[in-house]
Amino acid sequence: QVRLVESGGGLVQAGGSLRLSCAASGSIFSINTMGWARQAPGKQREMVAVITSGGSTTYADSVKGRFAISMDNAKNMVYLQMNSLKPEDTAVYFCTYPTTSRTYWGQGTQVTVSS
């Protein structure tokens, strides 16, 4: 089993920054891909950013140029640096770890951006 624990969420004013962290533990032998998704009230969960072990990154159009995902393979950590936050970024942010057998999800951390 794999456990993902997010931290770093909170309340921030529009234009501010937050850095989310995700610690992965358990039956992890090698991480190929990790990512962040978010879910706003009344909306579907959407992928925000993905990073591979080789360092390739992919972002949702809505966060390109503002968010940056990074990974520390040695520590089994993944981060999401969020800059120039907007009220529409308000959501619960989830860390995700896809494997060949299943996709693991963290419990989520709330990010609230006030206008």
Side-chain angles (χ1 to χ4, degrees):
Q1 292 295 320
V2 173
R3 184 179 184 216
L4 304 175
V5 179
E6 302 97 334
S7 60
L11 174 64
V12 64
Q13 288 188 331
S17 299
L18 281 175
R19 187 187 191 220
L20 305 183
S21 300
C22 172
S25 61
S27 302
I28 298 175
F29 300 101
S30 63
I31 296 178
N32 291 321
T33 303
M34 290 194 77
W36 288 93
R38 66 186 181 186
Q39 187 165 18
K43 295 188 178 181
Q44 289 188 332
R45 190 174 296 188
E46 62 169 345
M47 287 304 299
V48 172
V50 176
I51 186 167
T52 70
S53 57
S56 298
T57 57
T58 306
Y59 297 95
D61 288 342
S62 57
V63 306
K64 280 181 182 176
R66 301 188 298 121
F67 289 13
I69 187 171
S70 60
M71 185 163 61
D72 185 334
N73 274 331
K75 296 181 179 180
N76 288 339
M77 295 285 296
V78 65
Y79 308 95
L80 186 67
Q81 178 66 44
M82 305 185 295
N83 300 324
S84 301
L85 283 162
K86 305 175 181 180
E88 50 263 43
D89 294 319
T90 295
V92 178
Y93 284 72
F94 299 90
C95 177
T96 178
Y97 172 50
T99 69
T100 54
S101 58
R102 59 166 288 184
T103 295
Y104 293 90
W105 295 89
Q107 82 288 349
T109 185
Q110 176 70 45
V111 171
T112 302
V113 184
S114 62
S115 57

